[in-house]
Every structure is written in C-alpha cells, then in structure tokens.
Amino acid sequence: MNHYELPTSELLDSDRINLSVSAEEEEQKKKKVLKVLDAFAIQVNEVKSKVGPGTITYELGLPHGIDLQQARKYRRDIIWSIAERGVRLQIPIPGKVALGVKILRDERERLPFRKAVESSAFRETEAVLPIAIGMTNDNEMWVKDLAKCPHLLIAGEQSTGKHMLLKSIVLSLLYKKGPDELKFVFMTGADRYAEANRQIQECYWSKLPEVSEPIMPDDKTGMRTIYSLCEEMYRRSDLLRNSRSRQIVEHNQKVREKKLGNNYEVLPYIVVIIDELEDWMFRYPKFELSLSLLGTLSRAVGIHLVAATKRAGHDVISGMLKALFDARIAFSVPQEMNSRLVLDHPGAENLASYGDMLYCKSGKLERIQGFYIDEKELEKVASHIYRQGVPSPYLLPEPAIIEEEKAEEDDELFDY
C-alpha cells in the first residue's frame, strides 16, 4: 500500500473540555483538606492547587524536619475524614518538601480523543509505537511508547474504563502506523466484534494459515495463535541473528537501505490485544506459561502484548505475569490489596469510574484521566482505512503442537 493515507483528526469529534472549576468549589475542598490535616497534627506552610480534567490536586508545603510517618500512619483515616470521592494521598511529592492530595471534581469532563491527536506530544513524538493514554492532572497529554513498555497490563473492575483504554491504544496506533508497518492479533470476546472492529482487523490482520476470517472462530484457535506467535518469535530471532541486527528497528533499516539480500523483508510490528485475561488463564493451564515465554523474548523482534482483566487477584496476576508486564495500569479495584497487587502501591481502591486510572512503570505512579471514544468515531476511522483497500494478511507460521496435547487428543478415554 504505497499510497496509504493515515487518518486525520477531522474524523473525530471536536468537543471542547472545560479545565476550570469555580473558585467556590476549589476553596471549599481546600478548607476541608486543611481542617482534616490539622486534626491529625500535620502542619502546612503553603497550598498550591492545579485543576485537571477529572481532579483537583492540592500541593501542601510542609515545614522542614516534619515526621512523615505521622501522615503515612494515618493515611486511611485521612482519606476517610476528607470524605470526598476519589481521594488519593501522595506522601511525599518527589523532589519537594510537600505532600499531595488529589480529589475528584464535582463535574468531570469527557476527554475527547481528538485532543490527543492534535496535541504536540502526540504529533511530534519520536516513539516507535506511540499510545495516547490520557491527560494528567497537570493537563499534559500522557503519550507512551509501547515498544519501550514493552508490554502493558490493564486491571480494574467492570465499567471503569478498560475497554475505552483499549480503544485509545488501537486508535493511537492506527493514527501513526499503516497496514504495512503494523499488524494486530485480537483475542477478545465475540461481543467486541462490531463492524468497525472487523474492518480494522481485515486491514491489520495477522493470522494462522487455516483461518479464513479475522474473528477467531473458537478458543482453540486462540491458543493455537499464541503457539504460532511463539514460532514467529523464534523465526524473527533467527532473521535478526542472520542479519546481524540487535532489534527489529535496526533490521528494518538495513532492509530499506538494501544492505541485505533479497531474502530479507521489512518485518511489521505485531500488537497482541488480550481482553478478559482471566478467562484464558482459567480455561487453559498452559496459557500463562506460553504468554510468559512469548513476552520474555518478543520485545526485540517487535511483538508486544496488551492484556486487560477485571479480576485483580493472585490467581490471575501472578508473580510471573508481574515480572512480564513492567508497565501496568489500574482502574478502580475493590480493596487496597488489589491495588498493591497490580501496582505495588495503594491508591487504586480510591479511584472513581469512567477513565480514572493510575499508570505505573518502574515504581513511579501517575494519575491519568482516560479518553472517551464514541463508537461512531471508531467507525469513521475504520471506514477511512477500509476504503483504501485490504492488503494481504500477514501469515503466522504453523504452530508446533506439544506432544502432551497430541496424546490427549488421541486418548480414546479422553471424552469420558
């Protein structure tokens, strides 16, 4: 597709958002915070406030020599006493003699995805696989490189914003990469396959040889796809070794500059979207091991994982998976233990719904308000892509079936 045109921002809604709150609301919440801190004998020198798309952040300056253990000890009591939705304490703010209190605004604004596409952070990014996640409390666009994550885990209760975030990730990549540069593998429930999703998959399709349509017809095909991706990872590793390249970027550059023979070709990135991770893990005991194998070795060859789950428990987010997903996002979870399991920090138990999230990488947290994407916007982008023609799908290698599985299939007593 030599004449492929990337989507434009005109395909998205242009709703404006209000990033200001009334002085009365800001002052009222500030007085409540100061009153509670005074009750716990925590002195405050000065107060600064910042208004974001979903929260108000109060930066509370503390006197030198103060014992922060007092604030940490009564963290839960302070949050309970403030009696506001979505309260989160940051003790201390890194690099400052201050602590932070973040409180939800009375009226939260829907954040349109068009604001991300038109932002300088997204337009001018040099990221290989840029994904726009949302807007911070400092009103800065939060754009990350999926290639450097290199895998992303998303956890949170139902109806908190997980699927909207998956839409944001997919749309971000569609706005930056054409079908020749990027392929998707969607492992999601059948209810997610609207016509727009089908069109996107047909244009950005990587598939098994025997599969005839982009929708995975059964769960067995999904597991075979994971095995096939492992085979593709090994195949690409051999290609990079033979071309004397450390990473896929270096390999593709050599191919474009014709430094390699005709037997080499540009390798597209493959992004694997796994929704309802807990269903796959409960049904297939070997799924976690296969996923860990794939994720551990696939970064250099351009295969990246994005997994979402509504069950933030030890039976899903094991130590093996936590080691695999260095970048993690938590939406609202039931308890503090769930927050610590996902992020290694408390705080997600106090988040609100509808896109309020905490992003964690390398132990650093950032509170972010996610985007709202209407289904009609997705349909417009999908139609723009589909009208330009459907390229041939990227064929994955035939998976090697494990001997144990063959034995199970051949066992005459297996069905009993």
Side-chain angles (χ1 to χ4, degrees):
M1 301 182 71
N2 296 327
H3 303 291
Y4 178 79
E5 295 181 3
L6 293 171
T8 61
S9 60
E10 282 72 21
L11 298 171
L12 304 172
D13 293 343
S14 58
D15 297 338
R16 294 184 177 275
I17 60 172
N18 181 18
L19 294 177
S20 62
V21 296
S22 66
E24 181 181 355
E25 177 186 347
E26 190 173 345
E27 185 66 22
Q28 179 186 1
K29 293 182 185 297
K30 183 180 77 172
K31 288 181 178 179
K32 183 182 290 188
V33 170
L34 292 176
K35 182 179 180 180
V36 170
L37 293 180
D38 183 62
F40 285 91
I42 299 175
Q43 300 178 7
V44 176
N45 287 344
E46 59 177 347
V47 181
K48 298 179 182 178
S49 62
K50 292 181 181 178
V51 180
T55 60
I56 303 174
T57 302
Y58 294 100
E59 183 181 305
L60 309 169
L62 305 176
H64 289 278
I66 190 171
D67 185 8
L68 287 180
Q69 292 302 324
Q70 181 79 355
R72 292 194 181 99
K73 180 179 178 181
Y74 296 109
R75 176 193 293 269
R76 292 183 183 179
D77 297 318
I78 292 172
I79 291 174
W80 175 77
S81 300
I82 292 176
E84 289 277 352
R85 295 183 307 138
V87 177
R88 178 173 175 267
L89 296 185
Q90 189 174 14
I91 309 173
I93 297 176
K96 298 181 179 180
V97 186
L99 61 84
V101 179
K102 300 182 181 182
I103 303 177
L104 282 185
R105 295 168 46 168
D106 292 340
E107 294 184 5
R108 297 166 61 196
E109 296 289 336
R110 280 184 171 178
L111 188 59
F113 188 74
R114 181 167 179 168
K115 191 169 183 66
V117 174
E118 294 178 343
S119 68
S120 58
F122 188 77
R123 285 187 291 103
E124 300 171 7
T125 181
E126 295 181 357
V128 177
L129 295 174
I131 52 174
I133 295 175
M135 183 178 284
T136 68
N137 294 298
D138 295 330
N139 298 325
E140 296 178 356
M141 204 57 63
W142 197 255
V143 179
K144 291 297 174 182
D145 189 354
L146 182 59
K148 291 182 178 179
C149 282
H151 311 295
L152 179 62
L153 177 66
I154 304 166
E157 293 184 292
Q158 201 161 0
S159 302
T160 53
K162 297 189 304 297
H163 294 124
M164 202 63 70
L165 176 58
L166 290 178
K167 282 184 183 180
S168 301
I169 292 171
V170 172
L171 268 183
S172 299
L173 296 173
L174 294 180
Y175 265 85
K176 285 294 187 179
K177 296 291 181 182
D180 293 337
E181 303 172 281
L182 174 69
K183 298 297 178 183
F184 285 109
V185 172
F186 288 95
M187 300 179 65
T188 59
D191 59 323
R192 306 294 171 199
Y193 290 102
E195 182 60 26
N197 294 4
R198 178 184 286 273
Q199 291 178 345
I200 291 170
Q201 289 179 79
E202 286 187 11
C203 295
Y204 288 80
W205 190 14
S206 54
K207 75 178 191 76
L208 294 170
E210 74 273 11
V211 178
S212 59
E213 60 178 12
I215 295 178
M216 292 182 183
D218 50 48
D219 296 335
K220 184 178 178 181
T221 304
M223 277 304 301
R224 285 175 61 81
T225 300
I226 290 292
Y227 293 145
S228 180
L229 286 167
C230 290
E231 293 295 320
E232 174 70 8
M233 176 181 67
Y234 293 134
R235 185 186 75 86
R236 290 186 172 205
S237 296
D238 292 338
L239 282 175
L240 264 62
R241 183 168 56 251
N242 294 334
S243 67
R244 299 180 183 274
S245 304
R246 293 182 58 192
Q247 294 184 342
I248 185 175
V249 176
E250 186 179 347
H251 171 86
N252 287 343
Q253 186 66 24
K254 289 180 179 179
V255 173
R256 293 189 181 99
E257 295 176 356
K258 298 181 179 180
K259 294 182 179 180
L260 304 174
N262 296 328
N263 295 330
Y264 295 89
E265 59 183 10
V266 173
L267 298 174
Y269 288 90
I270 299 177
V271 176
V272 185
I273 308 288
I274 305 172
D275 195 9
E276 308 297 351
L277 176 64
E278 67 280 0
D279 291 346
W280 293 97
M281 293 185 63
F282 293 160
R283 283 191 302 231
Y284 300 99
K286 295 177 182 177
F287 184 82
E288 180 182 3
L289 183 60
S290 301
L291 195 67
S292 298
L293 175 63
L294 177 63
T296 303
L297 304 174
S298 63
R299 174 180 183 175
V301 298
I303 301 176
H304 302 278
L305 308 174
V306 178
T309 178
K310 63 175 177 285
R311 189 180 178 92
H314 288 280
D315 50 353
V316 176
I317 306 174
S318 62
M320 187 184 297
L321 283 186
K322 285 185 69 173
L324 173 63
F325 292 97
D326 186 39
R328 304 174 214 139
I329 291 176
F331 289 86
S332 177
V333 294
Q335 299 176 6
E336 182 180 321
M337 60 171 287
N338 302 113
S339 179
R340 290 187 180 277
L341 179 61
V342 180
L343 304 173
D344 296 323
H345 293 277
E349 73 279 5
N350 295 317
L351 296 177
S353 300
Y354 305 111
D356 193 16
M357 71 183 92
L358 285 173
Y359 175 93
C360 177
K361 189 173 190 305
S362 302
K364 297 180 180 179
L365 285 182
E366 185 69 38
R367 191 170 184 175
I368 301 169
Q369 176 62 43
F371 298 106
Y372 175 79
I373 300 173
D374 190 84
E375 195 65 32
K376 293 181 179 179
E377 295 180 277
L378 192 62
E379 290 173 0
K380 290 179 182 178
V381 175
S383 298
H384 169 84
I385 295 169
Y386 196 73
R387 283 196 300 267
Q388 300 185 60
V390 178
S392 300
Y394 183 80
L395 293 178
L396 297 173
E398 187 68 29
I401 299 179
I402 300 173
E403 292 299 324
E404 292 180 22
E405 295 180 348
K406 284 185 178 180
E408 288 177 353
E409 292 176 2
D410 296 338
D411 189 350
E412 59 185 19
L413 298 178
F414 184 68
D415 293 331
Y416 295 92

